[in-house]
């Protein structure tokens, strides 16, 4: 976590000096949102678009929710496709169609993880409209999910889902750069669903609780699986928790439930790991290294037998999934009638 991020969540008093800049930032975002409302829907977009995003900087659980919704829609007979900015990637050209074997330094870590987890068409482009057009022209799909992009107002949308981290909430409640908010908290009143990663009691009556439960450890070198519960590693082991995610403390706190001491190694969000990073950090090759799925996908080429990935299961209430499915189906039926 950067110095500024720590100040946001510590609610440091000196941040009030940045308040004038945050007002300007709010006005800019509001203007962009107004422009999006006055533009008509492009003719080439004939499928519903679902945007999964957040109103705070940093990780909240958007990508796991995107994966879960894509899987759910596939199970219900839909043919979803996914678009993303491809943050952290640097492709030679855009738009870029992504598959599970692509290099994360080109495609970005989250798009590669999504492609591997969903088996859905995935396209990345900093211009999400360009990604959307390429996705629609190259694939037979009937619904699009945008991983992030709640503030990308050039992209039209039919369903908005905002994800909130129950652990960190909204920091000091101020907008960037004085606080972590990309938009005021009141923006949650206008989205279709507010999904809270963790306990939802601290948000509002509309909040939908999303639980992320650790399930198994997967060996990144040989594919061995071990249950999360109990004592999956030899007693006396020290877990070396390595992660480059927006909220590393959430990952560390999960591992603290196990009966082992933990050494924490935190890197910037979307960090592109190399073997030198592990050597320079003084990580012990004889002790287990545990990573998130997002980080593990960047370390497959040099993973050894002590490298483990923690796989999780996301739980969503049935009433939300049923209502979401009906809403998507309603937009598809509406499009068919217009045609």
């Amino acid at each position: 976590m950067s110095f500024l991020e720590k100040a946001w969540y510590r609610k440091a008093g000196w941040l009030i000096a940045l308040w004038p800049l945050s007002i300007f930032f709010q006005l800019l975002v509001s203007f962009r949102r107004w422009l999006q409302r006055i533009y008509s829907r492009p003719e080439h977009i004939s499928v519903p678009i679902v945007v999964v995003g957040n109103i705070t900087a940093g990780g909240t659980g958007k990508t796991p929710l995107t994966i879960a919704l894509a899987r759910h829609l596939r199970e219900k007979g839909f043919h979803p496709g996914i678009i993303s900015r491809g943050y952290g990637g640097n492709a030679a050209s855009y738009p870029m169609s992504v598959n599970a074997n692509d290099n994360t330094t080109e495609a970005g870590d989250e798009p590669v993880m999504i492609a591997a987890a969903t088996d859905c068409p995935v396209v990345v482009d900093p211009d999400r409209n360009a990604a959307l057009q390429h996705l629609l022209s190259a694939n037979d799909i009937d619904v699009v999910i945008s991983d992030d992009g709640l503030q990308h107002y050039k992209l039209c949308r039919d369903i908005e889902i905002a994800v909130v981290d129950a652990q960190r909430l909204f920091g000091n409640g101020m907008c960037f750069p004085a606080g972590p908010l990309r938009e005021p908290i009141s923006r949650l009143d206008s989205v279709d669903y507010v999904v809270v990663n963790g306990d939802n009691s601290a948000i509002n009556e509309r909040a939908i609780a999303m639980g992320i439960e650790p399930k198994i450890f997967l060996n990144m070198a040989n594919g061995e699986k071990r249950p999360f519960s109990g004592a999956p590693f030899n007693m006396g082991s020290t877990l070396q928790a390595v992660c480059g995610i927006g909220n590393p403390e959430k990952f560390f706190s999960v591992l603290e439930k196990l009966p082992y001491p933990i050494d924490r190694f935190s890197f910037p969000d979307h960090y592109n790991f190399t073997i030198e990073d592990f050597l320079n950090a003084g990580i012990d090759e004889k002790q287990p290294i545990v990573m998130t799925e997002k980080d593990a996908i960047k370390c497959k080429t040099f993973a050894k037998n002590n490298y483990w990935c923690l796989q999780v299961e996301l739980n969503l209430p049935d009433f939300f999934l049923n209502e979401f499915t009906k809403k998507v189906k309603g937009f598809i039926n509406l499009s068919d009638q217009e045609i």
Side-chain angles (χ1 to χ4, degrees), residues 247-266:
N247 184 9
E249 290 303 321
K250 206 172 190 73
F251 177 58
F252 297 150
S253 64
V254 169
L255 296 181
E256 286 175 349
K257 298 175 183 178
L258 296 173
Y260 308 101
I262 299 173
D263 286 341
R264 296 163 174 78
F265 298 89
S266 183

Side-chain angles (χ1 to χ4, degrees), residues 234-285:
N234 294 331
M235 296 310 297
S237 294
T238 296
L239 299 190
Q240 300 175 105
V242 179
C243 67
I245 59 176
N247 184 9
E249 290 303 321
K250 206 172 190 73
F251 177 58
F252 297 150
S253 64
V254 169
L255 296 181
E256 286 175 349
K257 298 175 183 178
L258 296 173
Y260 308 101
I262 299 173
D263 286 341
R264 296 163 174 78
F265 298 89
S266 183
F267 292 80
D269 194 14
H270 298 282
Y271 190 79
N272 285 314
F273 292 96
T274 65
I275 186 61
E276 285 75 20
D277 294 315
F278 290 77
L279 297 174
N280 295 336
I283 295 176
D284 188 347
E285 293 187 3

Side-chain angles (χ1 to χ4, degrees), residues 75-107:
E75 290 173 1
K76 295 299 180 180
F78 295 89
H79 300 90
I82 299 160
I83 60 174
S84 169
R85 180 180 181 272
Y87 189 88
N90 187 20
S93 63
Y94 292 103
M96 177 184 179
S97 294
V98 180
N99 63 62
N101 297 316
D102 279 331
N103 193 323
T104 58
T105 59
E106 295 181 356

Side-chain angles (χ1 to χ4, degrees), residues 51-54 58-71 82-87 108-118 122 128 145-149 161-163 195 197 210 212 245-246 269-270 293-295 297 312 314 316:
V51 174
V52 179
N54 61 15
T60 56
K62 301 182 301 294
T63 300
L65 179 58
T66 296
I67 291 171
L69 293 177
R71 285 174 167 172
I82 299 160
I83 60 174
S84 169
R85 180 180 181 272
Y87 189 88
D109 48 17
E110 289 168 345
V112 174
M113 185 173 74
I114 291 170
T118 65
V122 178
R128 286 184 180 82
I145 303 176
S146 176
D147 180 42
D148 207 356
I161 303 175
V163 187
V195 176
N197 186 357
M210 175 177 79
I212 299 181
I245 59 176
D269 194 14
H270 298 282
E293 292 179 86
K294 174 179 168 179
D295 295 314
I297 205 164
V312 300
L314 190 145
L316 290 164

Side-chain angles (χ1 to χ4, degrees), residues 7-8 11-23 172 174 177-179:
W8 291 338
K11 302 181 180 180
W14 60 267
L15 288 168
I16 195 66
L18 301 177
W19 180 73
L21 290 177
S22 72
I23 295 297
N172 59 8
M174 291 193 285

Side-chain angles (χ1 to χ4, degrees), residues 44-56:
H44 71 277
I45 302 177
S46 58
V47 301
I49 299 174
V50 180
V51 174
V52 179
N54 61 15
I55 63 168
T56 55

